[in-house]
Amino acid sequence: MATRLKPVDAVTIGVGLTGSMAGLELTGAGLTVVGLERGAPRDTVPDFQSPSIHDELRFSIRKAMMQDNVKVAVTFRNTSDQTALPIRRWESFLPGQGLGGSFVHWNGQSFRAQAADFIYRTHHLERYGQKFLDACGPDLTIQDWGVTYDELEPHYDRFEYLIGVSGTAGNIKGKILPGGNPFEAPRSRDYPNPAQKEPYFGAIFRKGAESLGYHPYPQPSSNLSRPYTNPLGLKMEACVFCGFCERYACEHYAKGSPQTTILPILLKNPKYELRTGCEVLRINLDSTGKKATGVTYVDAAGREFEQPAELVLICAFPLNNVRTLLLSKIGKPYDPKTGEGVVGRNYSYQTTGGTIIFMDESININPFMASGACGTMIDDFSGDNFDHKDLGFIGGAYVGTIMTNGRPIEFHPTPPGTPRWGLEWKKAVARHYNHTIVITQLGTSQSCRANYLDLDPTYKDAWGRPLLRMTFDFPENDIRMAQYISDKGEAIARAMGGKTIVRVATKRPYTTTVYQSTHNAGGAVMGNDPKTSVVNRYLQCWDVPNVFSLGGAAFPQNITYNYSLTIGALTYWALEAIKNKYLKSPGPLA
Amino acid sequence: MKRRYTVLALVAGVHATAGLIVLAQSQNASQAAAGANKGGTATPQGTGAGPFVTQFQSKSLEPDIQHGAVIAAQGTAAGAPACAQCHAYNGVSDASGAFPRIAGQSRSYLAEQLRDFASGARNNAFMTPIAKALSAQDMADVAAYYASTNAPTLPLKPPQAALVKAGETLATVGNAQRQIQSCNNCHGPGGAGQRPAIPYLEGQYANYTTFTLREWQRGYRKNSPDQMAVQAKKLNDQEIAAVSAYYQQVASPVKVAEAQPKE
């Protein structure tokens, strides 16, 4: 039976980015906080040191930093009429596990969302009308977030300074600045650090994009361009372009992560206790079902504990936030047949694509000299930056060269027609390895009625609980979008002088066997209407007010960009509300 | 229904998605490629890539190793003395450690140091005037010559075992409390170097490593302000002595363990 532990003020389920932020803010407000992390403790020294951290087989191929899916997998199917099967090998998306969560192995791509993203439905209705939206797809369930960009701006700013984002501002308080992204929403001040140096492939892209009248800018990056001390007094260092960023941890203190920017302070706080190797089984509710009393978890030795807490924050990977809610019976599960219920509703992803350019041999790209988030890109086709009136879809994508590595197992570009193995393949790899540029497009994902998350009726985890089941395929709207943007990427590729150009864009059906994005979003979305959202605008559960669900699960649909910065801003926003409103008067926040 | 996918996993995995890992039906990918060629715009020198490329590619001089060897042995007519006077003809310098071992050091690294001595980015009373007397071609040649040498490591008396042990810890793991990362992160396993940019440390004389870490601390070396200057400033005298001792013996034919048997 579970051992009942001494009650604490708050518990976080997961100690990744949002869990670390919550720990720091709430202990700062005087609360006692326990962080429950199912993975291992780890730190820059000694765990992330070279050469072992550059083990491509271990980290990139065997996914050593990812959720242990022998214990807990996710099942997947494209449509409701299929039978879902467990994903036994992470490929399409990579949920992290261990102290620091996915924010350890992320790339550091650090974008703010646009103002229109937060009023998504309202914006599109005003600009294009209901008839247009119906034509894009009558099944789309896009909605407003309940929070505005202006409300989040101070939190974006604070988060950028916490992790030391390196970038070139394009819009400070409405003034458009040269060199930055002219489409970005106004920021209150400049980035804490200047943009990273432009790589050669970025310079070639810049030239090509400018020749077509687009507006190239350096990708904002949390791989730092120079040594930096964050507002907590933690020192970070400059990125050395080692080429081992995504799927790896940084050995140089150069990537914004909980380990570099939060944990050294938090772990010293006597009001905070980190417990690793602890799998939370469920959130416990009292007899009314309206109040959480704490959580039950199993430690690494298999012992079961009940940790009573006044406040429970779900700080897991978005998919796991949704699963925790479902397993704890918090909120009404979504039913795609009736469209009713909210938990699991509006699961969205990211729509990707791009162009591969095989260049002349005189052009040396040196792809191995790479940072996780260094590159040059355009926002001319992001979100609603361009007129969709005659296009028959909503949404958009950024386009840019943001190559992150030239690692030997993963990077060997060959043009179409090359054999898949043997001497000819080897010759082609040798010919093209150093002369290939990749243009990436990453874009919006609209939520729609058929895509959702629920509990699998068949498959269970190591503790006997149902796995999360994902039902997902790309809506037609997003396929049209991806193809349209791909045309633009191809035109830029030609302007860049590619010898051979291969164009690729998302197609149906979605498959989980190829990496696309780890921006799994939604499923426990935020909003102002309890009928269409799980949490309110402060990420507080409508049904159980002392439970908050932080992170990407709150996105009602996915934005153009990599979502980490928006998660950071939303988390600060929610934590401010907890500190300034909730703690003074616990209960539903208006 | 059977679909065939070509997986173009180019920017590999790429978490947080920079990654173009895109799937495309192979047929369509090929068609697009064919279309691009047909269009005729996808030529190697396409829109503007020609002059632009020259602008960005750094000039690299074709080195003459024979001429580099002559400079090493005899110096130059313009007044640079023979490198061999201090560094020896094979680049091992001497056991005093007043001068670094440069045998087999990365060509690009050596040439960069010569340029930096000449420009003042690296300020040294001996090397700055010598580097100023070398032309760009001389620098490329002599750097190529010493990069090509393959000289033995001198059998030096091993440093104290405790010092070496402390140095090994710093070199391979670092120090979590003081936020010092391992030297090998950049300088490679055992300090083997990561060519072309990062020099080897294995077998480097402890006196020289100590000296140059102090140069970083005091600002005489300014050619890696965001990396080496930052790292060096974190180290105290003990730690400098320890890493210096460790790297000296790591490639030495005389091992610490042999000289001081285990207890």
Side-chain angles (χ1 to χ4, degrees), chain A residues 17 21 112 118 151-157 159-160 539 563-575:
Chain A
L17 172 64
M21 291 172 73
R112 294 182 178 200
F118 296 102
E151 285 173 316
L152 284 184
E153 201 286 331
H155 305 288
Y156 271 121
D157 178 83
F159 190 65
E160 284 171 349
L539 309 185
Y563 67 6
S564 299
L565 220 68
T566 299
I567 289 175
L570 272 179
T571 301
Y572 266 146
W573 156 260
L575 292 170

Side-chain angles (χ1 to χ4, degrees), chain A residues 45-46 49-51 102 105-107 109 200 203-204 207 225-227 235 237-240 246-247 251-253 352-356 360 362-364 398 402-405 407 410-411 413 416 438-440 442 494-505 507-509 511 514-519 562, chain B residues 1 3-25 28-30 32-37 39 41-49 52-57 172-176 178-186 188-189 194 196 225-227 230-231 234:
Chain A
V45 174
Q49 295 298 286
S50 172
S102 302
H105 77 257
W106 75 310
N107 251 333
Q109 300 172 277
Y200 184 41
I204 298 174
K207 185 88 174 172
S225 60
R226 63 179 181 191
K235 287 185 166 45
E237 288 171 19
C239 169
V240 301
E246 78 282 4
R247 306 188 181 198
E251 69 267 41
H252 296 289
Y253 297 96
T352 61
T355 312
I356 301 152
D360 192 78
S362 65
I363 296 169
N364 293 306
Y398 68 58
I402 44 183
M403 297 168 69
T404 65
N405 76 88
R407 294 191 292 265
E410 296 155 277
F411 187 80
V438 181
I439 297 181
T440 296
L442 183 91
R494 288 182 181 175
M496 289 164 68
K499 260 194 162 173
T500 306
I501 293 169
V502 175
R503 156 228 174 100
V504 276
K507 285 186 165 57
R508 298 176 82 157
T511 169
V514 180
Y515 187 81
Q516 288 158 73
S517 165
T518 301
H519 308 140
N562 310 69
Chain B
M1 184 179 69
R3 283 179 189 250
R4 189 167 152 245
Y5 288 104
T6 295
V7 177
L8 298 156
L10 281 186
V11 178
V14 189
H15 166 60
T17 308
L20 173 57
I21 291 224
V22 185
L23 47 150
Q25 281 178 282
N28 291 358
S30 319
N37 289 333
T41 45
T43 57
Q45 300 300 322
T47 330
F52 176 62
V53 164
T54 354
Q55 181 195 330
F56 277 87
Q57 300 273 36
T172 56
V173 184
N175 180 318
R178 312 213 11 250
Q179 214 179 332
I180 299 169
Q181 51 176 304
S182 94
C183 313
N184 288 352
N185 272 341
C186 295
Q194 291 202 53
D226 287 349
Q227 301 299 340
V230 174
Q231 300 304 333
K234 289 179 185 172

Side-chain angles (χ1 to χ4, degrees), chain A residues 153-454:
Chain A
E153 201 286 331
H155 305 288
Y156 271 121
D157 178 83
R158 191 176 169 208
F159 190 65
E160 284 171 349
Y161 275 72
L162 177 80
I163 61 171
V165 180
S166 301
T168 303
N171 180 347
I172 296 181
K173 294 177 179 165
K175 189 173 178 226
I176 302 300
L177 300 165
N181 173 15
F183 297 101
E184 77 171 345
R187 52 177 60 250
S188 52
R189 57 174 168 163
D190 203 348
Y191 285 103
N193 291 303
Q196 289 188 282
K197 285 175 190 159
E198 182 162 76
Y200 184 41
F201 56 76
I204 298 174
F205 176 86
R206 174 180 294 276
K207 185 88 174 172
E210 272 173 354
S211 75
L212 298 175
Y214 301 140
H215 302 83
Y217 69 98
Q219 175 171 233
S221 167
S222 292
N223 306 128
L224 271 57
S225 60
R226 63 179 181 191
Y228 174 70
T229 303
N230 84 354
L232 301 175
L234 295 173
K235 287 185 166 45
M236 301 174 68
E237 288 171 19
C239 169
V240 301
F241 290 75
C242 76
F244 288 79
C245 199
E246 78 282 4
R247 306 188 181 198
Y248 301 84
C250 182
E251 69 267 41
H252 296 289
Y253 297 96
K255 172 159 69 173
S257 71
Q259 276 79 353
T260 52
T261 65
I262 303 170
L263 290 171
I265 302 291
L266 175 61
L267 296 177
K268 277 188 207 139
N269 192 321
K271 288 190 170 297
Y272 185 76
E273 187 188 342
L274 169 70
R275 296 182 199 150
T276 52
C278 295
E279 174 86 24
V280 173
L281 299 181
R282 64 183 169 273
I283 298 169
N284 301 315
L285 303 179
D286 72 3
S287 57
T288 67
K290 301 280 182 206
K291 184 174 190 291
T293 58
V295 302
T296 295
Y297 70 88
V298 181
D299 76 358
R303 296 171 299 185
E304 205 170 301
F305 294 95
E306 185 195 342
Q307 176 60 65
E310 291 296 315
L311 193 56
V312 176
L313 298 108
I314 315 176
C315 299
F317 191 75
L319 297 172
N320 295 325
N321 272 34
V322 177
R323 180 165 180 253
T324 302
L325 290 165
L326 290 167
L327 290 172
S328 307
K329 301 190 177 359
I330 296 174
K332 186 178 174 191
Y334 174 67
D335 179 350
K337 288 194 197 79
T338 62
E340 284 170 14
V342 285
V343 185
R345 178 178 171 273
N346 277 27
Y347 168 70
S348 64
Y349 192 45
Q350 196 102 66
T351 317
T352 61
T355 312
I356 301 152
I357 317 166
F358 295 93
M359 303 294 283
D360 192 78
E361 265 177 302
S362 65
I363 296 169
N364 293 306
I365 302 302
N366 294 344
F368 47 86
M369 293 196 294
S371 156
C374 190
T376 306
M377 50 196 303
I378 58 166
D379 252 18
D380 295 69
F381 300 102
S382 298
D384 196 34
N385 289 349
F386 54 109
D387 192 354
H388 288 72
K389 188 159 44 70
D390 302 320
L391 299 178
F393 65 83
I394 58 170
Y398 68 58
V399 179
T401 50
I402 44 183
M403 297 168 69
T404 65
N405 76 88
R407 294 191 292 265
I409 302 177
E410 296 155 277
F411 187 80
H412 19 67
T414 54
T418 307
R420 302 291 290 273
W421 55 277
L423 185 62
E424 289 308 310
W425 179 82
K426 287 178 188 169
K427 278 186 190 160
V429 171
R431 160 64 184 82
H432 295 287
Y433 174 84
N434 206 23
H435 315 289
T436 303
I437 301 178
V438 181
I439 297 181
T440 296
Q441 69 187 60
L442 183 91
T444 49
S445 174
Q446 313 305 334
S447 45
C448 64
R449 187 167 167 159
N451 291 337
Y452 70 108
L453 305 170
D454 67 351

Side-chain angles (χ1 to χ4, degrees), chain B residues 46-243:
Chain B
T47 330
F52 176 62
V53 164
T54 354
Q55 181 195 330
F56 277 87
Q57 300 273 36
S58 61
K59 287 175 292 184
S60 71
L61 297 165
E62 205 50 53
D64 177 349
I65 291 188
Q66 291 305 319
H67 182 237
V70 171
I71 297 172
Q74 292 187 318
T76 66
C83 315
Q85 286 182 16
C86 297
H87 290 287
Y89 185 64
N90 65 359
V92 297
S93 306
D94 66 49
S96 73
F99 313 101
R101 175 188 163 88
I102 55 175
Q105 191 59 281
S106 144
R107 181 180 104 192
S108 137
Y109 173 76
L110 290 176
E112 189 191 327
Q113 300 313 303
L114 287 169
R115 286 195 297 274
D116 290 348
F117 280 128
S119 75
R122 206 181 154 172
N123 194 348
N124 181 285
F126 288 111
M127 283 305 298
T128 297
I130 294 171
K132 280 184 174 163
L134 296 171
S135 69
Q137 186 67 52
D138 291 341
M139 291 180 186
D141 296 349
V142 77
Y145 166 69
Y146 274 113
S148 75
T149 57
N150 180 13
T153 310
L154 299 182
L156 305 177
K157 185 168 154 260
Q160 279 184 340
L163 200 58
V164 170
K165 188 76 201 150
E168 183 180 12
T169 304
L170 275 176
T172 56
V173 184
N175 180 318
Q177 281 70 42
R178 312 213 11 250
Q179 214 179 332
I180 299 169
Q181 51 176 304
S182 94
C183 313
N184 288 352
N185 272 341
C186 295
H187 290 277
Q194 291 202 53
R195 287 153 199 276
I198 301 172
Y200 70 73
L201 303 177
E202 59 177 358
Q204 190 54 272
Y205 300 111
N207 279 351
Y208 173 73
T209 306
T210 297
F211 169 74
T212 206
L213 282 167
R214 296 235 166 85
E215 283 187 296
W216 286 116
Q217 289 183 327
R218 294 170 193 177
Y220 292 103
R221 284 187 79 162
K222 295 186 268 287
N223 51 355
S224 172
D226 287 349
Q227 301 299 340
M228 276 313 299
V230 174
Q231 300 304 333
K233 282 174 189 160
K234 289 179 185 172
L235 301 174
N236 60 33
D237 288 355
Q238 280 266 298
E239 288 162 338
I240 287 182
V243 281

